Amino acid sequence: MAAIIQGIGAVTALTPANSLDTKKSLFANSRRSLSERKGRLFVVRSDGRLSCGLNGRGGRAEQLITNAVAAKEDAAAASTSSKPGHELLLFEALREGLEEEMDRDPTVCVMGEDVGHYGGSYKVTKGLAPKYGDLRVLDTPIAENSFTGMGIGAAMTGLRPVIEGMNMGFLLLAFNQISNNCGMLHYTSGGQFKIPVVIRGPGGVGRQLGAEHSQRLESYFQSIPGIQMVSCSTPYNAKGLMKAAIRSDNPVILFEHVLLYNLKERIPDEEYVLNLEEAEMVRPGEHVTILTYSRMRYHVMQAAKTLVNKGYDPEVIDIRSLKPFDLYTIGKSVKKTHRVLIVEECMRTGGIGASLTAAITENFHDYLDAPIVCLSSQDVPTPYAGTLENWTVVQPPQIVTAVEQLCQ
């Protein structure tokens, strides 16, 4: 197996540096077209419109997305088609970012269950195995602890593995490798090793996937020292964060939501790389700061339309970086609105919202005119029944009610 790993790409020199790649968005003229996708399905654009798209999976995009993604403003929808660039589904944007980095750097490789000729369970790696070969796109046995450990070892030798977990819940089997090895080896080796590895995969509450396949594990991994975490929510930031994570010399966990893969958006033709530690201002406002990420971004934007009609002016921030938090952007907003609502799909006890509440209280307590309110999923296993499943996750009417009470 060591011979296989060494054959994936050139080994880079080991240095004691472990610098964070926190460059701002970069633009350069380079882009390649991806292979054509086959099969039709209905997709929902990030502006809320339903259209017919191309995909190799076929199936249930309309059922998966329509209730999860809220439409943006009509003006934005009207202008989308006139923007330069090209339209991609979120899973295609992830693939495009990954493919660009594999072309740019021969040390980038992919490993995981069914990532090769099958193309991944959500087709993020479709078409990569024929192009790059079985050594750089490595199908693994169903053994998360084994191939995660192998990827971390490959990163120690100078490679840049991208490890796909078919479901984030399965990566609990590799928690020892992620915690005791991935997050700590740079420190425990005295800086002799860098661990430039990306661990990515789908998570969150889907559509009746059952408790074991509907877990929100962000807070589990947030507690591990030495690891960065980001969460994508649009095709644009999915590609930009994927590229930034691969280029980082630090281990990065990239959370993808299972219900957002078929979200469509127009992204630039030019190359760009996003900042791993920067939040995104989704909607400027004056009355209250709403902090959210991943799928809940769209629940919040749906609630925002109702709030605007009621006379409120919410400021919406997609925090994107779950570790570390972008306290500059968050603090600037808190100093303006003086009220904070956190909306997350993570569990309430020990969730991302709890950590964010603590950080805001410690740093910006004097600027708050009201207690921080946090809306989270209920502390119960996700039910299989659709009606009960919806009850466990924050819905737009709850967000509207929370803002109204917070602004009284």
Side-chain angles (χ1 to χ4, degrees), residues 47-198:
D47 56 27
R49 294 179 294 161
L50 186 66
S51 65
C52 188
L54 298 177
N55 184 10
R57 290 171 54 208
R60 304 178 56 208
E62 183 178 1
Q63 295 174 333
L64 289 176
I65 298 298
T66 50
N67 292 330
V69 179
K72 294 183 179 179
E73 297 296 333
D74 294 337
S79 63
T80 298
S81 59
S82 62
K83 292 180 180 179
H86 57 290
E87 286 190 333
L88 289 178
L89 303 175
L90 190 143
F91 78 89
E92 293 173 325
L94 289 166
R95 181 199 302 154
E96 184 171 275
L98 177 57
E99 186 174 359
E100 288 180 5
E101 292 305 300
M102 293 184 76
D103 281 344
R104 186 188 67 87
D105 186 349
T107 67
V108 178
C109 55
V110 181
M111 58 184 68
E113 299 156 358
D114 291 332
V115 298
H117 296 279
Y118 182 71
S121 56
Y122 290 91
K123 302 307 177 186
V124 172
T125 57
K126 183 180 179 182
L128 299 185
K131 181 175 180 179
Y132 300 105
D134 293 340
L135 290 180
R136 292 188 69 190
V137 185
L138 185 63
D139 273 322
T140 66
I142 303 175
E144 284 77 10
N145 57 341
S146 298
F147 67 74
T148 302
M150 180 176 67
I152 294 167
M156 294 174 67
T157 71
L159 302 181
R160 292 184 176 271
V162 178
I163 302 170
E164 176 178 314
M166 187 178 290
N167 183 281
M168 277 296 175
F170 301 161
L171 288 177
L172 290 176
L173 297 169
F175 196 83
N176 177 63
Q177 284 73 22
I178 297 172
S179 176
N180 288 330
N181 302 143
C182 188
M184 297 185 184
L185 275 170
H186 177 73
Y187 174 79
T188 57
S189 68
Q192 295 181 72
F193 295 107
K194 296 184 295 182
I195 315 295
V197 63
V198 178

Side-chain angles (χ1 to χ4, degrees), residues 97 100-101 238-247 271-273:
E100 288 180 5
E101 292 305 300
K239 178 183 176 180
L241 291 174
M242 170 70 87
K243 291 171 70 69
I246 292 173
R247 296 186 187 190
E271 182 183 23
Y272 63 94
V273 181

